[in-house]
Amino acid sequence: MRIHHFLLIVFIVSCTPESNFKSIKYLDPHFVNESFDDWIQLEQSFFLEIPDSIVVGVIKQIEFTDSLIYLLEDGITSSILVFDREGDFKRQLLKLGSGPGEYVQIDLFVFDKNHISIYDRTQMKLIKYSLKDFSVFQAFDIEDYLVGALSVPNTSSLFFVSDTDVETGIQKGYGFSKEDFTNLKFKPQFSGFIEGFLPQSISHFGENYFLVQPFSDKVYQIGKDSIYLVDRIDFGSKRIPEKVSTFDRAEDLYEILSSDSYFFAPTNLLVRDSIISFNFFNETIDNLNFGLIQNGKAYRFSIDSNLKEFFLKPITVREDLLHTVLLPGEYNEEIIELLNLTKDDNEKPILVSYTIGQ
């Protein structure tokens, strides 16, 4: 059975010859243990003018259109907050419940020109609302559990990542459907590729969306109905054995991690100008680092301070930038000054868009 599923796994990936895709070499990085402020290159930062009646929890997802910003917050409630591109509040999608058009929790969302669709893993439903005011909706039962989704730009396709088990060591994996969720087809993948997936495994830069596959460290461009191999992050002697992608028990992964020192599972990949940056795990799943390649030289940052925690663990990579949201109580006067903000209001979240480099 495993040979059969492996053929399916190969089928979804374009047949790019090994010699035709690039290798991002991250070898012998220089450890940066100096003042971090100089490495933050701000594009913009502003307060999100959210009404006092709305209490914002953890920000799980940030997406952009030409004129609007969409945030998925999950705290006391689970809701979508909508702002214009200057941070002025527009509306909120909040329909908690188990009735028609209601959700228990929003795990992720996608949108097209006229609709936003939220996924409720508890009810295994996708609910599509009108973007204008969220009043009109359609509900779709989903047979498979999802951990990721994306509306592929300039197409009528949706890309999904599913962790539904097919058999031991194999999960539903990567799939595509039409925008109306018809013709949904998955290509199974080894469990490690899917269990290691995070929302930050998908990045948007250079006008395209890319998926960094955990444990293979291969970078795929997401197309209309398939993914195309374009890069590979080469950790050299620090590369984790690719066999971990076939493990279905966490204990087997931990045994490999304890046997040597590895860099693995990159996320938040951003390729821009002469800079390549990404997060990666160093030796353990509790030790997240930030990697940077600038002008061919590799750097490594540990995340060992509040300032680094804020800026070296971005929520997402979109529109050629890293993005994070600082919540009230997380920032102080020093950070306000660093962000070139003057407003004396510590009760509003701050959206920060930036890169790391010098």
Side-chain angles (χ1 to χ4, degrees):
M1 283 295 291
R2 178 155 297 190
I3 293 175
H4 170 70
H5 285 304
F6 181 75
L7 292 175
L8 288 175
I9 291 168
V10 172
F11 181 75
I12 197 172
V13 180
S14 67
C15 300
T16 305
E18 189 83 9
S19 59
N20 287 351
F21 69 89
K22 298 175 291 183
S23 182
I24 299 171
K25 294 188 178 299
Y26 187 71
L27 310 176
D28 301 318
H30 170 71
F31 179 66
V32 178
N33 193 24
E34 57 197 52
S35 176
F36 178 64
D37 299 16
D38 295 337
W39 292 84
I40 303 171
Q41 305 298 318
L42 288 177
E43 179 76 13
Q44 63 177 357
S45 60
F46 50 79
F47 288 94
L48 296 171
E49 300 296 339
I50 191 167
D52 293 337
S53 59
I54 298 177
V55 179
V56 179
V58 175
I59 304 300
K60 295 174 59 177
Q61 186 177 347
I62 307 173
E63 303 293 348
F64 298 86
T65 66
D66 290 341
S67 59
L68 297 173
I69 303 167
Y70 292 79
L71 302 185
L72 167 54
E73 64 88 19
D74 189 25
I76 298 175
T77 61
S78 184
S79 72
I80 304 289
L81 305 175
V82 186
F83 303 85
D84 66 20
R85 296 297 290 248
E86 286 73 46
D88 291 327
F89 179 77
K90 293 298 183 181
R91 53 191 175 274
Q92 179 184 29
L93 170 56
L94 176 60
K95 296 181 182 292
L96 288 174
S98 56
E102 297 177 335
Y103 56 81
V104 175
Q105 182 171 323
I106 303 175
D107 294 278
L108 54 86
F109 70 91
V110 297
F111 56 82
D112 55 40
K113 184 177 180 180
N114 298 311
H115 304 91
I116 183 170
S117 301
I118 65 96
Y119 171 63
D120 181 350
R121 188 179 174 101
T122 301
Q123 298 189 92
M124 294 188 71
K125 285 185 177 181
L126 278 160
I127 307 175
K128 177 184 282 191
Y129 304 94
S130 60
L131 272 182
K132 184 177 180 181
D133 56 10
F134 306 136
S135 60
V136 180
F137 70 89
Q138 290 177 280
F140 303 83
D141 293 327
I142 301 297
E143 296 180 356
D144 301 296
Y145 289 108
L146 304 178
V147 292
L150 169 71
S151 180
V152 183
N154 304 315
T155 74
S156 59
S157 298
L158 295 169
F159 171 71
F160 295 101
V161 182
S162 171
D163 62 345
T164 297
D165 290 328
V166 175
E167 61 175 84
T168 301
I170 302 289
Q171 294 179 332
K172 276 295 186 72
Y174 308 138
F176 289 85
S177 81
K178 299 296 184 182
E179 285 183 347
D180 59 1
F181 310 116
T182 61
N183 200 31
L184 177 57
K185 296 180 179 179
F186 285 100
K187 301 300 181 182
Q189 303 289 316
F190 290 131
S191 296
F193 293 155
I194 306 306
E195 294 294 340
F197 173 86
L198 295 171
Q200 291 79 17
S201 298
I202 294 178
S203 299
H204 177 249
F205 56 86
E207 300 184 355
N208 293 300
Y209 281 86
F210 299 89
L211 167 70
V212 183
Q213 190 176 58
F215 303 121
S216 78
D217 303 333
K218 291 179 180 178
V219 181
Y220 294 97
Q221 181 176 330
I222 301 173
K224 179 181 179 180
D225 53 16
S226 60
I227 59 177
Y228 305 89
L229 184 62
V230 292
D231 287 293
R232 174 174 164 262
I233 299 178
D234 182 5
F235 288 131
S237 62
K238 292 282 191 177
R239 183 186 183 194
I240 196 168
E242 195 163 335
K243 65 181 180 180
V244 302
S245 64
T246 67
F247 293 167
D248 60 290
R249 298 191 320 138
E251 293 82 357
D252 295 331
L253 172 61
Y254 297 146
E255 182 178 350
I256 290 289
L257 294 179
S258 66
S259 67
D260 209 334
S261 175
Y262 297 110
F263 295 162
F264 61 97
T267 54
N268 280 319
L269 175 66
L270 173 58
V271 180
R272 173 175 168 164
D273 302 325
S274 64
I275 295 177
I276 302 171
S277 64
F278 49 86
N279 285 117
F280 66 95
F281 294 98
N282 179 13
E283 299 185 0
T284 75
I285 60 174
D286 299 314
N287 185 17
L288 186 67
N289 282 207
F290 187 88
L292 177 72
I293 303 172
Q294 184 168 3
N295 298 322
K297 188 172 182 179
Y299 301 88
R300 179 174 71 86
F301 300 79
S302 64
I303 302 177
D304 54 10
S305 69
N306 287 338
L307 186 64
K308 292 181 180 179
E309 181 88 12
F310 294 149
F311 293 102
L312 293 183
K313 292 173 62 177
I315 296 172
T316 194
V317 175
R318 295 292 186 267
E319 300 185 331
D320 296 335
L321 290 167
L322 309 174
H323 304 275
T324 194
V325 173
L326 307 184
L327 298 177
E330 290 184 339
Y331 53 86
N332 54 26
E333 291 183 4
E334 179 184 3
I335 292 178
I336 291 291
E337 183 176 351
L338 174 66
L339 298 179
N340 299 318
L341 297 174
T342 58
K343 181 177 178 180
D344 185 19
D345 188 348
N346 292 334
E347 300 302 321
K348 304 293 184 184
I350 303 173
L351 175 64
V352 188
S353 304
Y354 60 102
T355 59
I356 302 294
Q358 283 191 327

